Amino acid sequence: MDSTDSPSTSTTTLPPPAASSETSPLLSGSTLQNASSQEDHYVASITEEHEVTCWGCGLCLILSPYNPIFKCGWCGAINDHNAVKNDKKYLWWRRWRDRCFLCVLLLFMLFIIGGGIWAIYPIIFSESYFFGVFHMTIAVVLSITTFSTFALAAFRSPGTPPLIPWGSYPAVGKGGLEGYTFCNYCSKPKSPNSHHCRSCGMCVLDMDHHCPFIGNCVGAGNHRVFILFLMSSVISNFYVSLISSYAAFRIWPPVTNIPMAAFSGPNEYMLVFGSFKEVAFSFFTAVESLSVRGFVLIYLCVASVSVEIGLGVLLWQQLSYIYQGMTYLSLLSSRGTNRTSKKDCQNFVRFFGCPYSGTRCLLGFWNSRKIHKK
């Protein structure tokens, strides 16, 4: 229940008891004195049970016991007196888990780069020196971009809520804590667009999700570089899959004994089935004669395609959230409510902070065509 707009403390007046001196003139003085003391004790216990203090401005309020969650009418802070502070005994386990995932991802990236240099580029340079230098330049640029965006997303602060005065009526003005809640983990105010991450042990501003592979939360401070990291990773894995497939094709042993004439003639089904068996046998025979470089190329191709598909799905999901002007957590909190966000390409401009007016004009023209299209 909201409190009054006045900063003064509200009080509760209880009705007098049914049995008084006017209705019972035969009661003795000691009986009246005992009844009066019991009435005072009753009023004091009721007042003590229902008197609460707003954490935002410190004003004392007397409320009903049936609404422990209320919004202060002076500062606008949301009070929840049933909130219980949980312990942090599993915080160390979450941090060690994130560090293990971080080390695994770093080792995978180093293996992809080192294995590609060892297995791919001797074959590329054997084709042409200019061809090898060109692809080496592309690999260096993609590697630097991926590692730099990964480091920024993993080690940059995801964003902390702003620090504002709280706890005292003179320091908190009218509506100064509108919509704020109190974080029992951090023991400080939490803004409406913040969320506490139990893995990081801190409140994160505009939190999207906690990513264990970077060992950090994705929030207002590193959401942009996280998207750039996903884009760079998808492009890098696509390049690795292409160049490793080309290198494997160049060193693949020739496949012999393929009866191409078996695809025509009588009993065509049995002949085609036999030809496929011949091709499969020749293929596995060629695999047995592959060198170590060939197996590394096969692994690079399969691993890069698998990682590319997974990161591509995650990137598409993140871009769809940005298009809606929301984060993953805000989308979850808005389900089941009537709150809707504006889906617009201008959300990409606001997210990436593009300063070019020409881009904004083009996006505005595209959105106007999309809106007025019947």
Side-chain angles (χ1 to χ4, degrees):
M1 182 176 66
D2 295 345
S3 62
T4 58
D5 292 339
S6 175
S8 61
T9 304
S10 60
T11 57
T12 302
T13 304
L14 295 177
S20 62
S21 58
E22 297 178 357
T23 58
S24 302
L26 300 179
L27 293 177
S28 61
S30 61
T31 305
L32 291 176
Q33 185 178 0
N34 292 334
S36 178
S37 62
Q38 291 178 2
E39 178 185 352
D40 295 339
H41 176 71
Y42 178 74
V43 173
S45 63
I46 290 296
T47 304
E48 183 180 356
E49 288 178 0
H50 301 302
E51 182 177 325
V52 295
T53 303
C54 176
W55 64 263
C57 56
L59 296 179
C60 295
L61 307 170
I62 299 178
L63 301 173
S64 171
Y66 298 103
N67 53 344
I69 301 177
F70 69 95
K71 181 178 180 182
C72 180
W74 172 253
C75 64
I78 300 175
N79 293 257
D80 185 5
H81 293 278
N82 286 342
V84 180
K85 182 178 180 180
N86 297 328
D87 54 0
K88 300 180 180 180
K89 60 180 180 180
Y90 296 111
L91 181 60
W92 65 272
W93 160 250
R94 297 189 183 98
R95 290 182 176 177
W96 275 106
R97 177 203 61 186
D98 293 345
R99 291 173 183 174
C100 292
F101 277 114
L102 182 65
C103 293
V104 169
L105 182 58
L106 282 175
L107 291 177
F108 178 77
M109 294 170 64
L110 291 176
F111 176 77
I112 291 294
I113 295 176
I117 293 175
W118 177 79
I120 297 176
Y121 289 97
I123 303 173
I124 300 300
F125 274 97
S126 64
E127 296 289 328
S128 171
Y129 181 77
F130 175 78
F131 190 61
V133 171
F134 174 74
H135 283 280
M136 182 65 72
T137 304
I138 295 177
V140 169
V141 171
L142 291 177
S143 301
I144 293 176
T145 304
T146 304
F147 268 103
S148 58
T149 53
F150 171 77
L152 290 175
F155 301 108
R156 177 183 286 184
S157 175
T160 56
L163 297 177
I164 57 176
W166 64 282
S168 176
Y169 160 65
V172 181
K174 175 68 175 176
L177 295 172
E178 183 68 30
Y180 275 69
T181 56
F182 189 77
C183 182
N184 292 315
Y185 297 93
C186 301
S187 298
K188 63 181 181 180
K190 183 173 64 175
S191 58
N193 55 345
S194 300
H195 183 79
H196 183 85
C197 178
R198 297 184 181 181
S199 298
C200 296
M202 60 179 294
C203 290
V204 179
L205 184 64
D206 290 335
M207 179 178 173
D208 185 84
H209 69 285
H210 180 84
C211 181
F213 290 98
I214 64 174
N216 198 3
C217 284
V218 178
N222 62 347
H223 198 177
R224 187 183 306 172
V225 292
F226 179 74
I227 297 298
L228 295 177
F229 166 68
L230 291 180
M231 292 180 178
S232 178
S233 299
V234 170
I235 296 175
S236 300
N237 283 278
F238 180 73
Y239 170 75
V240 170
S241 62
L242 287 181
I243 198 68
S244 60
S245 301
Y246 174 78
F249 176 76
R250 297 295 300 176
I251 67 171
W252 197 268
V255 179
T256 57
N257 300 326
I258 301 179
M260 300 301 296
F263 288 95
S264 59
N267 203 1
E268 184 176 353
Y269 174 76
M270 296 300 298
L271 292 178
V272 169
F273 180 72
S275 66
F276 278 131
K277 289 178 60 177
E278 187 77 16
V279 169
F281 179 77
S282 302
F283 176 79
F284 285 110
T285 303
V287 169
E288 290 179 356
S289 60
L290 273 178
S291 61
V292 178
R293 179 175 280 109
F295 285 105
V296 172
L297 290 174
I298 294 175
Y299 175 78
L300 288 176
C301 181
V302 174
S304 59
V305 170
S306 303
V307 175
E308 177 189 351
I309 294 174
L311 293 180
V313 172
L314 180 59
L315 177 61
W316 177 261
Q317 186 182 43
Q318 289 290 316
L319 293 178
S320 65
Y321 294 155
I322 297 173
Y323 175 73
Q324 298 176 24
M326 306 178 70
T327 60
Y328 176 68
L329 288 180
S330 63
L331 181 65
L332 291 180
S333 61
S334 64
R335 287 181 178 178
T337 62
N338 294 326
R339 186 177 64 179
T340 57
S341 58
K342 183 179 180 181
K343 299 180 180 180
D344 195 351
C345 290
Q346 291 290 341
N347 293 326
F348 290 106
V349 178
R350 286 188 292 268
F351 179 82
F352 291 102
C354 182
Y356 303 105
S357 59
T359 307
R360 298 183 181 182
C361 293
L362 290 176
L363 289 176
F365 175 73
W366 171 260
N367 290 326
S368 63
R369 289 183 57 189
K370 181 177 62 176
I371 292 174
H372 295 290
K373 185 178 180 180
K374 299 296 183 181

